Amino acid sequence: MQRSEKLEEFKKSVTNRFNVYNSLFLNLPYRNIENVGMLIPLLFEQCEKGLKSGKKPQEILDAFFQNYANVESEKHRIDFMFRIIQYVERQVVLYDSVEDAAFPKLHQHTTSLSIKDYFQLVNENKSWDKIAKKLSTFSARIVLTAHPTQFYTPAVLDIMEDLRSLILEDSINDIDLTLQQLGLTSLINAQKPTPLDEAKNIIYILRNVYYDAMGELFAYIKNNIKDDDFDNYNIMKLGFWPGGDRDGNPFVTADMTKAVADELRITLMKCYYNDLKRLRKKLTFKRVRQPLNSLRDNLYIAMFDSQKPMDYDDIIGPLGDIRDILVNDYHSLYVKELDHFIDKVRIFKTHFATLDIRQDHSKHKLVVESVLKQKGVIKEELNELTDTQMTRVLLKEKWTLDPADFEDAIVKDTIQNIAQLADIQKKNGEEGCNRYIISNSEDIFSVLFVYGLFRWCGWEADKISFDIVPLFETMKGMENSEGVMQSLFDLPEYKAHLERRNGTHTMMLGFSDGTKDGGYLKANWSILKTKETLSKVCKKNGIRAIFFDGRGGPPARGGGKTHRFYAAQTKDVANHEIQLTIQGQTITSTYGNKEQFMHNSEQLLTAGLSNNLFGKEHVISRASRKLIEELSELSFAKYDALKNHEMFIPYLENRSTLKYYTKANIGSRPGKRGNKKKLELTDLRAISFVGSWSQLKQNVPGYFGLGTAIKTLKDNGRIGEVKKLYKEVPFFKALMLNSMMSLSKCYFELTSYMKEDKAYSDFWNILHEEYKLSKEMLLLISGYTILMQDEELSRESVKIRENIVLPLLVIQQYALQKIGQNADHRDLYEKIVTRSLYGNINASRNSA
């Protein structure tokens, strides 16, 4: 499909449909909010015109209230703004539904490889043996997280699913009715969700989307690979963080982890039970009734009694027996349908998704310190021991810890949790929970503390059925990673552990804090270099390296176009598996329904597979590396100067929505680590950090420093080198395109009133100048006339979404101005700021 045709299809399937249904929606006669819907288009017009002419949000809204809405009292104006927020939130839901409904049509002619395209390419290259071998071992794992950027409750997701179906049928009357339902359904949590609530929200998607979608994807690959014995049931895997990710979340306890593990297993049993029920209607033959009924009864018990789980063999065994009976006695009738069910059981076993455990290195240090004090090995601090002495203690000492012997809650819970992981594996299978991730890993003890704690919490050294995964996320962590891994490989005890773990080592890189720490280009360049270095050190030691990427949602948290990211990896990066986190509204926007899940999963698989098997392997020349390094350091210097500016933290605290993230009932986790009175960047969570820049429409972490870096080379007569780099190095181009996405979502007009702010005008000008420069330089090296020039569908989507929430953004800035002026009704204005977070983030879908 040509570009003009794509845009025409987008206009027809998305823009026009949204306008039609939006006009219905804005005229719904809700009680107490008459005429509000009709005033929204007018408010948008006034906001757009006002901001372009340099007016302050306060001036725009005061004039609107006086001249158009006829709302005089401050209290009534506040009520009116809350109603606007309610409407805009629902407009975002409507737009999401329209766009999702159009997804299959818009992506019919994508330029990225589908599995079908991939198999055709294999045919042309006559390389079935090679591809069959690769597919038999290759795997992609998407790990679903509960980071607080996902606000749609199951009730709203149900409405969205109904809307998608009705929109495809153009059923206008039913759409009208469903929009009324949407208008009367709460979109926000009445109270802060617990980790179990977060888990259930995502398990809802597992049950209603991924269970069938993964089965269909596997069936398609199996039917097209020309290998009757294809049995790589791990080609797509699911990981799960809610309930296991305790990094900075005091509400994730050992009991919570156990409850979520039970919920995953029980929900899967419900899926199996429903599939079996459908099969029973077809398998009406005498000899299969007894094994069918017996399996159904056992699944029914396992669905409701968490203390009576079913083993994998107790499910797969009877299904195999039933299959044999069908083949031998009933002409193989309905064997195909039964095989499809058996394949799903082989994919999900008894766990559904692998529950990962994650904790920050500092917490393990606290636990080990407490244990060694209690055992009399140290008096107060770990540094009383040399590294050699500490290593010996962790690898050799045989203790059995009892949580009751310790007072600190974290210490007690960590011991209790590690001890109970064996029971979770017993119920959900080893794949149900077999990875322990350590945030902020910077030295060898990030891994050895966990290894030692497993030994002391009831695990025999040769029975530790867990991968211990260091997360190298800071610049320091990435710089130290090669030495850390080599030191680990040099330890006979740890090397023996790796041999029992199939000679593989998973390492997590970057995540959100890398960009926060090092700036966009330096962080991502460091991640690639670290991957290459760790691939080399693992290969040298006979270890299979597997990389787990914290991809986040927006480019500023490691996200962006996922398939482009993996397709651009160099040949020096180990490519045995693709593993990445999917978080926030990226879960629903990228993998939220069956069509999206299958499309994006195919992109993930083909990006990883084609990197090795087809076309030119990506090699970054020495000259190109030197140039990227130079740009990286120049951009980091600019970003680092901004981080160290005296107004950096005060600006975020006093002119952004940062403090309101913790007040919103968005996620269970606090907005920052620790309880320090004074805010420090290191304690600040990347989600609230990146999200606050996004709410300001400044998106600083997604590009800041790039403009200065490229301009420096331009001034030295070297712009041709950068243009060549963009053209010839896919990795660099992928990063620049992601930054364009961040830039395209900037709207500095929203905060231009800060130019007159005595305290912050200089700081705002620094941000604005770098934004303008970065935009100019990226257009220069790409040859584009507009940002995202070759991504017309994404560009149009961004434009519509930004327009929908413009009134919301102006209201948010208005409220922030009122708070800054110590106006009356401060508590209500703070509620407006907090409430406006939801619609803005949901509209962005990846928050930058």
Side-chain angles (χ1 to χ4, degrees), residues 683-738:
D683 296 328
L684 191 57
R685 294 220 162 273
I687 283 176
S688 48
F689 175 70
V690 172
S692 296
W693 291 114
S694 174
Q695 296 279 325
L696 284 166
K697 290 296 153 190
Q698 293 172 353
N699 293 331
V700 163
Y703 62 85
F704 196 90
L706 281 179
T708 293
I710 298 170
K711 178 71 161 48
T712 302
L713 268 65
K714 178 177 180 285
D715 291 345
N716 292 332
R718 299 172 60 194
I719 194 65
E721 294 178 42
V722 188
K723 287 182 177 180
K724 187 182 179 191
L725 188 70
Y726 177 87
K727 185 178 179 181
E728 295 182 356
V729 179
F731 169 78
F732 182 73
K733 183 176 181 178
L735 293 185
M736 296 305 101
L737 291 174
N738 279 344

Side-chain angles (χ1 to χ4, degrees), residues 226-407:
K226 298 183 180 178
D227 179 2
D228 294 336
D229 298 321
F230 181 71
D231 61 355
N232 182 8
Y233 296 102
N234 286 325
I235 193 160
M236 279 298 299
K237 293 189 283 191
L238 296 174
F240 202 82
W241 274 18
D245 180 10
R246 56 228 325 114
D247 177 10
N249 193 337
F251 307 110
V252 178
T253 61
D255 289 342
M256 183 64 69
T257 298
K258 180 178 178 296
V260 171
D262 285 343
E263 189 71 26
L264 281 163
R265 185 186 67 256
I266 286 169
T267 302
L268 179 61
M269 296 304 116
K270 291 174 182 175
C271 293
Y272 288 165
Y273 182 84
N274 288 333
D275 262 4
L276 196 67
K277 221 164 82 169
R278 283 188 286 270
L279 269 172
R280 283 181 74 251
K281 292 180 180 178
K282 294 181 177 181
L283 304 182
T284 52
F285 320 124
K286 184 177 180 181
R287 287 201 59 213
V288 299
R289 299 303 286 176
Q290 188 278 324
L292 269 175
N293 289 340
S294 177
L295 180 56
R296 178 203 60 186
D297 293 345
N298 289 335
L299 284 170
Y300 188 81
I301 293 168
M303 278 164 52
F304 295 106
D305 191 340
S306 65
Q307 299 308 309
K308 294 184 179 177
M310 288 189 74
D311 289 338
Y312 169 68
D313 290 339
D314 293 337
I315 303 171
I316 204 71
L319 289 173
D321 294 341
I322 292 165
R323 190 185 191 283
D324 289 342
I325 295 169
L326 289 180
V327 171
N328 295 329
D329 297 353
Y330 298 105
H331 314 293
S332 297
L333 202 58
Y334 296 123
V335 160
K336 188 177 179 182
E337 287 85 347
L338 178 63
D339 281 346
H340 186 56
F341 178 40
I342 289 173
D343 282 342
K344 284 198 274 189
V345 173
R346 292 192 186 280
I347 291 167
F348 298 114
K349 298 185 174 66
T350 53
H351 63 279
F352 217 161
T354 300
L355 179 62
D356 287 345
I357 308 299
R358 183 169 80 122
Q359 181 56 289
D360 191 80
H361 173 51
S362 62
K363 302 303 179 188
H364 299 135
K365 183 178 180 182
L366 170 67
V367 177
V368 171
E369 196 166 68
S370 301
V371 170
L372 298 194
K373 280 165 71 175
Q374 194 251 357
K375 297 296 180 185
V377 177
I378 60 173
K379 291 181 179 179
E380 291 296 333
E381 297 180 349
L382 292 180
N383 60 18
E384 295 168 31
L385 300 177
T386 65
D387 286 357
T388 303
Q389 289 171 326
M390 175 66 74
T391 302
R392 189 200 66 77
V393 168
L394 294 165
L395 295 178
K396 303 292 187 184
E397 288 292 353
K398 293 185 177 181
W399 296 322
T400 301
L401 302 181
D402 184 345
D405 292 339
F406 301 90
E407 292 182 9

Side-chain angles (χ1 to χ4, degrees), residues 365-646:
K365 183 178 180 182
L366 170 67
V367 177
V368 171
E369 196 166 68
S370 301
V371 170
L372 298 194
K373 280 165 71 175
Q374 194 251 357
K375 297 296 180 185
V377 177
I378 60 173
K379 291 181 179 179
E380 291 296 333
E381 297 180 349
L382 292 180
N383 60 18
E384 295 168 31
L385 300 177
T386 65
D387 286 357
T388 303
Q389 289 171 326
M390 175 66 74
T391 302
R392 189 200 66 77
V393 168
L394 294 165
L395 295 178
K396 303 292 187 184
E397 288 292 353
K398 293 185 177 181
W399 296 322
T400 301
L401 302 181
D402 184 345
D405 292 339
F406 301 90
E407 292 182 9
D408 189 287
I410 286 283
V411 176
K412 293 167 81 80
D413 189 75
T414 301
I415 295 168
Q416 183 186 340
N417 184 56
I418 293 175
Q420 75 165 356
L421 294 177
D423 187 55
I424 289 175
Q425 284 192 348
K426 188 177 178 183
K427 288 182 176 179
N428 288 31
E430 185 183 314
E431 289 179 64
C433 188
N434 61 3
R435 310 197 321 164
Y436 200 117
I437 299 154
I438 306 106
S439 305
N440 282 304
S441 293
E442 294 183 349
D443 59 38
I444 188 174
F445 295 110
S446 58
V447 171
L448 291 186
F449 283 166
V450 174
Y451 182 82
L453 286 170
F454 265 88
R455 291 182 57 252
W456 302 336
C457 292
W459 294 77
E460 294 293 330
D462 60 351
K463 299 285 195 309
I464 299 175
S465 48
F466 263 75
D467 297 325
I468 303 173
V469 182
L471 167 46
F472 301 114
E473 53 190 321
T474 62
M475 292 299 108
K476 182 181 176 183
M478 285 188 270
E479 286 165 11
N480 293 352
S481 61
E482 181 181 10
V484 168
M485 297 312 299
Q486 184 59 62
S487 297
L488 288 169
F489 297 151
D490 288 340
L491 295 172
E493 293 88 349
Y494 193 72
K495 195 73 183 285
H497 167 69
L498 292 181
E499 286 168 4
R500 290 188 291 271
R501 301 303 297 158
N502 299 316
T504 66
H505 205 302
T506 303
M507 293 152 287
M508 193 171 181
L509 288 173
F511 208 52
S512 309
D513 284 306
T515 302
K516 187 186 80 175
D517 188 28
Y520 186 67
L521 181 56
K522 184 176 175 69
N524 283 282
W525 176 233
S526 297
I527 289 169
L528 182 70
K529 289 191 300 179
T530 305
K531 277 187 174 182
E532 291 175 335
T533 301
L534 291 177
S535 297
K536 196 179 297 180
V537 77
C538 286
K539 189 174 182 180
K540 184 177 78 175
N541 287 276
I543 300 297
R544 193 165 168 260
I546 295 176
F547 294 113
F548 179 18
D549 293 295
R551 293 288 294 154
R557 284 208 318 277
K561 300 284 186 180
T562 300
H563 68 275
R564 190 159 62 202
F565 170 80
Y566 284 108
Q569 301 287 288
T570 66
K571 71 177 183 64
D572 295 320
V573 174
N575 188 35
H576 308 294
E577 272 191 42
I578 282 176
Q579 296 188 6
L580 73 160
T581 55
I582 302 292
Q583 65 191 49
Q585 61 279 62
T586 312
I587 293 174
T588 46
S589 67
T590 310
Y591 296 89
N593 58 52
K594 191 185 290 186
E595 293 80 12
Q596 289 172 326
F597 176 88
M598 293 185 69
H599 172 83
N600 287 297
S601 294
E602 287 185 30
Q603 303 297 292
L604 204 57
L605 286 169
T606 56
L609 290 165
S610 59
N611 190 292
N612 277 18
L613 297 176
F614 300 115
K616 181 183 175 185
E617 288 186 318
H618 295 314
V619 179
I620 304 178
S621 69
R622 186 174 296 177
S624 294
R625 285 176 176 275
K626 188 178 176 185
L627 186 57
I628 297 174
E629 191 73 44
E630 193 174 350
L631 288 166
S632 163
E633 292 304 323
L634 286 168
S635 65
F636 173 68
K638 181 72 175 178
Y639 177 71
D640 197 46
L642 184 75
K643 275 198 314 178
N644 291 306
H645 193 288
E646 60 180 356

Side-chain angles (χ1 to χ4, degrees), residues 1-2 6 104-112:
M1 190 184 285
Q2 297 300 312
K6 279 186 178 181
K105 191 172 284 187
L106 291 173
H107 287 79
Q108 275 178 346
H109 304 282
T110 178
T111 55
S112 301

Side-chain angles (χ1 to χ4, degrees), residues 113-121 123 128 135 212-227 230 232 235-236 336 340 343-344 347 598-599 601-602 605-606:
L113 283 177
S114 67
I115 290 288
K116 184 179 178 182
D117 298 329
Y118 189 70
F119 287 148
Q120 286 176 352
L121 200 55
N123 273 330
W128 271 110
L135 276 173
D212 285 330
M214 282 187 69
E216 288 186 24
L217 182 64
F218 180 84
Y220 184 83
I221 294 170
K222 186 178 179 181
N223 292 336
N224 284 275
I225 198 175
K226 298 183 180 178
D227 179 2
F230 181 71
N232 182 8
I235 193 160
M236 279 298 299
K336 188 177 179 182
H340 186 56
D343 282 342
K344 284 198 274 189
I347 291 167
M598 293 185 69
H599 172 83
S601 294
E602 287 185 30
L605 286 169
T606 56

